[in-house]
Amino acid sequence: MSRGVSDLTSARWDDDDALLTELRAALDVPAVPEHVVAAAKAAYTWRTIDEELAFAVLVYDSSLDDSALVRGEGPRTLLFEGDQLSVEIEVTEQSVIGQLIPPGPGRITLTNPAGPVAETDADEVGCFVLPRPGRGAVRLICRCGEDALCTPWLPL
Amino acid sequence: MLGTRTNTDLVEAAARGDQDGWDEIVQRYLPLVFSVIRRYRLSSKDAEDVSQTVWLRLVEHLDAIREPRALPMWIATTTRNEALRLVTAHRRTTPVDPLNTSALDAEVDSAALDEELLRAERQQAIRDGLAELSPRHRELLLLLVVDPPLSYEEIGARLGMPVGSIGPTRARCLARLRGSSAVQVFLSAGRDMDVTGGERLDFSTVG
């Protein structure tokens, strides 16, 4: 690959041989499996997500925390913040354990790009446990009274 | 079919709800996503997860892309960040492999990402330019770059073309490719693209 880079950056557009070399490289695109192409196209169906859902922002992810105390210890924890409602989760090997903030009962849905994979109630203090799904991107949709929150996609 | 719509058209179409516009963005930039991923030596499953996350995020980011020429940069950067996150996560759960420093190298080398991006854009322009050529010209160019290479005799036999005319036709096809609107758009955009760095001079000297 490094050979290709130096060839290409020095390539001149007015040189026929160089242009043919560029063409050869341009046609040598990484092979992307058909189901990956299909999945990427299908992602677009999420364009029409419920309008009433507020999007939460990921404000903390222990897997990105470089402080020595956190590094390599314990399950991954994440905090998603919305305007009215926030949610903190811990991803263990078997489960997704979480709590709504402010604490209170609600309905929690875990969904992957194809649709909901698990659903549960949050108790009076907003705590919930969901089975951890297999690999791939998931998101939580939390409904608590009038408020509804949708986390960004999170690859597990 | 290829290369008729600009990034601006495609992003606007996709933001409006046009699935075809979205599909074309995917076709155009999946190779970029995978060429960035390739540097991190992820398993194919991990690579697929990264790709899926990038596209899911882009769906929600479409309205925020005010300058559609920034699209490939957004895609490349998001892909890199997501791939790096996976590499970092793996490094924490597995003993450090002293031989595998590629991810660390990539982490510090953001110039490599710029280069990747520029190459992807250039190669897309060339593929789009190729699609603009007549079928016969396209066929000749494709035969000229096959691996292993064909002799002019073989190419002449396949196309029913006298061997003596292949050289001049080759030059004409390449001139058409160079003059194709896809390549011309790329070259004119390249002049003020920040990421081109030292290559800017090369582009502006093209007449």
Side-chain angles (χ1 to χ4, degrees), chain A residues 60-71:
Chain A
Y60 178 75
D61 180 347
S62 66
S63 79
L64 300 175
D65 192 328
D66 277 331
S67 70
L69 284 173
V70 178
R71 203 179 173 91

Side-chain angles (χ1 to χ4, degrees), chain B residues 56-106:
Chain B
L56 287 166
R57 296 224 170 116
L58 180 59
V59 166
E60 275 152 22
H61 195 77
L62 280 172
D63 301 311
I65 297 181
R66 292 202 187 81
E67 171 53 80
R69 267 183 34 213
L71 177 67
M73 179 55 108
W74 187 93
I75 291 173
T77 308
T78 306
T79 305
R80 177 190 57 180
N81 292 348
E82 204 44 52
L84 266 176
R85 203 191 56 74
L86 265 185
V87 169
T88 312
H90 288 334
R91 206 184 297 143
R92 281 172 196 191
T93 52
T94 51
V96 176
D97 175 0
L99 294 177
N100 184 10
T101 58
S102 60
L104 277 174
D105 293 345

Side-chain angles (χ1 to χ4, degrees), chain A residues 27-44:
Chain A
L27 296 171
D28 181 26
V29 292
V32 179
E34 202 43 52
H35 70 274
V36 176
V37 180
K41 289 181 177 174
Y44 191 64

Side-chain angles (χ1 to χ4, degrees), chain A residues 21-137:
Chain A
T21 304
E22 287 262 9
L23 176 63
R24 189 175 293 116
L27 296 171
D28 181 26
V29 292
V32 179
E34 202 43 52
H35 70 274
V36 176
V37 180
K41 289 181 177 174
Y44 191 64
T45 56
W46 285 91
R47 185 77 191 151
T48 50
I49 192 166
D50 292 353
E51 301 247 330
E52 95 239 29
L53 289 174
F55 283 95
V57 177
L58 175 63
V59 292
Y60 178 75
D61 180 347
S62 66
S63 79
L64 300 175
D65 192 328
D66 277 331
S67 70
L69 284 173
V70 178
R71 203 179 173 91
E73 285 182 20
R76 182 178 178 194
T77 58
L78 304 109
L79 174 61
F80 299 99
E81 270 182 13
D83 287 340
Q84 310 297 328
L85 189 63
S86 297
V87 62
E88 185 167 16
I89 62 168
E90 187 177 293
V91 183
T92 69
E93 280 181 23
Q94 262 96 47
S95 316
V96 177
I97 303 163
Q99 185 175 23
L100 297 174
I101 306 163
R107 187 77 181 154
I108 315 294
T109 307
L110 187 66
T111 182
N112 71 15
V117 288
E119 213 165 358
T120 191
D121 287 323
D123 64 19
E124 296 74 44
V125 288
C127 292
F128 60 89
V129 182
L130 288 160
R132 179 183 173 154
R135 59 180 314 133

Side-chain angles (χ1 to χ4, degrees), chain B residues 168-183:
Chain B
T169 313
R170 169 189 190 266
R172 219 161 40 241
C173 293
L174 289 170
R176 290 266 167 85
L177 179 59
R178 212 173 272 126
S180 67
S181 67
V183 168

